[in-house]
Amino acid sequence: MDLISLYPTWYEPTVGSGWVVALIATFHVLASHTSVGAALLFAYLSHKAYREDREDLLDFIKKYGLFLLVFTYVAGSITGPGIWYSTTVASPNGIGALIHSFVWKWATEWVFFVIEVVGVYMIVYLVGKVDKRTHMKISVIFGLASWATMLIIVGILSFMMLPGKEQWFADGGYLNGFYGTNTFIQLGMRTAFMFTITAVVGGIVIAGIKDPAFKKEMARKLGWLGIISTIVGALMFQWYLTAVPEQALLVMENRLPDYFMPSIVAVLAGTLAYFIITMIRPQTLVQGFAGAMAVIILVAGLWPEETARESMRKPWVAGQYVYSNQVIGRDVPGMDIKSQLPLLEKVGILKAHPFTPEHLREVNEGNKIQAGEFIAMTYCSNCHSPSETGIRPLHRYFPEGVSQERVAKYVKGVLTTGNIAYMPKMPMTDSEVDALAAYLVLNNNGGQAAVTAAIDSEIAQRDRALAEKNASDKVAALDFVQEVK
Ligand code: HEC
């Protein structure tokens, strides 16, 4: 049988599966970046505490460390598996691609992560119980292990955009996939912004310091850390843009909303202003203000950054060979991977998809809308919501009252041929084009209600036909019994 590796589509009707993943991932980035940055900050402060024999710095580490334990480690440990669960159902072939290339990298990351988790407990609970020199050593190990987790993850994340070296496609090899300019620039950029986040979240801890002189000292320290890291991070972002594929830049220029760049600049400027204010007037730093600032940075800074990185990758989800809709769209000889496009061109998506319901494998007048819906779910719903809400709802892209002929022409001319840079090539047979177009028109002009009504009527018709057939079979059987008698 001609089947390809596709799984049932996870469809989330309100916001779309992509947003569920993005939401979880953004929280995770906030938690993980805070803890990695803080770990390095602790290494520095602990060193200073040892050199200058200062208890107050150790006390600050203990407070910040406890805050991390309660908030970021718990949030990070919930959202981390959350990323696995959500991406595994939203993008099984994408995750498969990463696992096939990087399973040992991930194992390595988890080793460092265990050191990190044990480390944060030691940092917090051994203050005052071990001498300062030992505490400093633990802090340094903790800091390096934390940063190592980031190094590994960034290698995997940047592979999602682009394998490290072109050679990877021909020869495979995880180092070829892992190391590339993109990896290291992204690592530098994330390291910088991670310190920005550490400084902002640290404000919540500083707000609780009683001694005004110490509060001022820490506000200054974290203020400088924040200012320098924000500026370095912004410069690194410019540099990063030179290391992403042409395609990604094209998507970025044309497809990111107009407010994207101005809002990023506004967030950067606001962050800098915040640090300057807290340095000049540490007394303004109260928990409410610092907490609100952390949330603002999360919502206004991280969310657009992470979603931009996601959408720049279109139409791919991983390694420039797995499309967002999970179809493998390119040969990768180095990994013994074959493009699924030739088979799709030959038999169409309904025959090639292992989870197509039996009664939809062949398009006919009685199942057209159901078949069209199945195709839209499989091919499009990862990037376009078929409902009214969610990401890029399909009905927004065709004019009101559009004809089926026009939609079919677009589907055949543009989508099945892959004639558009930001969408995958989606091969369909003529009857599939017809079914998809019929569904799209109904969805466009009548909305979900019209689609549901049409599908109900298709099912009712099928049931009626079945009942008729059953009845006539019964009559035939009775006749037969009669004859035998
Ligand atoms: C990899 C993600 C992806 C997939 C899969 C995808 N699209 Fe798109 N599509 C996009 C993006 C990105 C745009 C650009 C529009 C935007 O950003 O607002 C777009 C635009 C469109 C447009 C607007 C016309 C245009 O040329 O810009 C139509 C119509 C459309 N898609 C239909 C579909 C249909 C139907 C399917 C499924 C058969 C599909 N798309 C699958 C990402 C995708």
Side-chain angles (χ1 to χ4, degrees):
M1 235 195 202
D2 291 331
L3 294 177
I4 58 176
S5 63
L6 286 175
Y7 299 84
T9 304
W10 174 39
Y11 168 57
E12 200 294 313
T14 320
V15 293
S17 56
W19 272 52
V20 176
V21 174
L23 240 124
I24 299 174
T26 304
F27 273 104
H28 188 75
V29 167
L30 180 78
S32 60
H33 283 33
T34 310
S35 33
V36 175
L40 292 173
L41 177 70
F42 293 172
Y44 163 74
L45 290 178
S46 180
H47 174 74
K48 204 170 158 66
Y50 162 67
R51 274 292 173 79
E52 298 170 9
D53 196 20
R54 287 183 51 183
E55 297 296 333
D56 51 359
L57 287 176
L58 283 182
D59 193 50
F60 179 81
I61 293 177
K62 184 171 179 159
K63 288 221 174 74
Y64 199 163
L66 204 58
F67 179 84
L68 289 187
L69 252 182
V70 174
F71 291 103
T72 62
Y73 274 81
V74 172
S77 315
I78 294 170
T79 50
I83 295 180
W84 279 102
Y85 282 123
S86 57
T87 51
T88 302
V89 283
S91 193
N93 279 346
I95 280 294
L98 300 184
I99 292 174
H100 279 296
S101 287
F102 296 118
V103 71
W104 288 110
K105 281 272 167 240
W106 253 310
T108 314
E109 193 233 338
W110 286 332
V111 172
F112 284 116
F113 180 62
V114 169
I115 300 175
E116 198 185 344
V117 173
V118 174
V120 75
Y121 277 94
M122 291 175 80
I123 293 286
V124 170
Y125 289 104
L126 292 183
V127 166
K129 300 207 175 74
V130 296
D131 60 278
K132 292 199 177 71
R133 196 182 156 81
T134 309
H135 192 271
M136 178 187 81
K137 283 185 185 160
I138 298 170
S139 298
V140 170
I141 294 171
F142 172 55
L144 292 178
S146 300
W147 191 74
T149 62
M150 175 180 242
L151 166 69
I152 294 168
I153 276 303
V154 168
I156 298 173
L157 285 182
S158 57
F159 173 87
M160 290 178 74
M161 174 85 83
L162 180 73
K165 296 194 180 65
E166 186 65 28
Q167 193 191 348
W168 178 85
F169 288 104
D171 302 340
Y174 78 89
L175 289 180
N176 287 335
F178 192 81
Y179 291 112
T181 5
N182 186 299
T183 312
F184 290 106
I185 303 177
Q186 191 181 149
L187 181 66
M189 180 173 79
R190 277 188 189 271
T191 303
F193 283 131
M194 159 195 102
F195 281 123
T196 305
I197 299 175
T198 304
V200 175
V201 175
I204 301 175
V205 183
I206 296 176
I209 297 178
K210 301 263 167 354
D211 174 15
F214 184 51
K215 184 170 181 176
K216 187 166 182 175
E217 181 192 346
M218 292 315 291
R220 287 257 158 100
K221 271 204 170 61
L222 264 66
W224 276 122
L225 179 70
I227 290 172
I228 293 169
S229 59
T230 307
I231 293 172
V232 172
L235 293 176
M236 287 259 182
F237 179 67
Q238 294 301 319
W239 190 20
Y240 174 69
L241 291 182
T242 64
V244 300
E246 283 285 309
Q247 164 67 32
L249 288 183
L250 194 84
V251 173
M252 208 167 123
E253 274 161 25
N254 296 315
R255 292 297 165 183
L256 285 183
D258 291 338
Y259 59 80
F260 180 77
M261 272 301 168
S263 67
I264 287 278
V265 172
V267 171
L268 288 179
T271 310
L272 288 177
Y274 169 77
F275 286 130
I276 292 170
I277 291 170
T278 55
M279 282 169 80
I280 297 174
R281 299 183 63 85
Q283 60 272 35
T284 54
L285 203 55
V286 291
Q287 251 142 9
F289 183 33
M293 197 58 203
V295 173
I296 291 172
I297 299 255
L298 163 75
V299 176
L302 276 180
W303 171 261
E305 184 276 323
E306 295 294 322
T307 42
R309 198 173 51 78
E310 290 287 309
S311 62
M312 277 163 73
R313 235 175 19 225
K314 294 275 177 294
W316 307 104
V317 70
Q320 305 254 310
Y321 73 95
V322 184
Y323 281 134
S324 294
N325 60 17
Q326 304 305 298
V327 171
I328 292 170
R330 172 174 181 173
D331 286 335
V332 184
M335 298 292 287
D336 264 339
I337 289 167
K338 288 254 180 298
S339 167
Q340 297 171 337
L341 295 177
L343 180 69
L344 285 169
E345 270 157 6
K346 206 170 98 200
V347 304
I349 179 74
L350 292 173
K351 291 230 171 61
H353 196 317
F355 289 92
T356 309
E358 263 335 296
H359 69 281
L360 299 183
R361 291 224 180 257
E362 204 72 70
V363 180
N364 55 49
E365 279 310 312
N367 69 8
K368 209 184 232 181
I369 304 300
Q370 296 169 76
E373 184 182 49
F374 183 83
I375 296 170
M377 283 293 173
T378 306
Y379 264 159
C380 328
S381 73
N382 202 282
C383 301
H384 295 285
S385 162
S387 69
E388 269 88 54
T389 55
I391 2 172
R392 303 188 197 89
L394 272 174
H395 69 88
R396 271 195 212 152
Y397 292 101
F398 296 105
E400 191 64 42
V402 67
S403 72
Q404 181 169 332
E405 201 192 345
R406 251 194 72 195
V407 174
K409 210 164 164 187
Y410 175 84
V411 171
K412 197 168 165 67
V414 178
L415 300 181
T416 67
T417 53
N419 264 341
I420 200 155
Y422 42 80
M423 281 195 263
K425 180 173 181 167
M426 296 172 275
M428 284 168 249
T429 62
D430 284 345
S431 61
E432 287 172 347
V433 170
D434 193 37
L436 178 62
Y439 164 81
L440 287 173
V441 166
L442 210 55
N443 179 53
N444 198 67
N445 301 344
Q448 282 300 109
V451 171
T452 315
I455 288 180
D456 284 351
S457 119
E458 277 182 3
I459 292 173
Q461 220 163 14
R462 185 167 137 245
D463 287 350
R464 220 173 308 132
L466 268 178
E468 268 164 31
K469 186 167 180 300
N470 274 347
S472 76
D473 283 356
K474 219 171 183 173
V475 171
L478 282 178
D479 286 351
F480 180 71
V481 171
Q482 211 65 33
E483 236 163 73
V484 172
K485 270 190 186 163

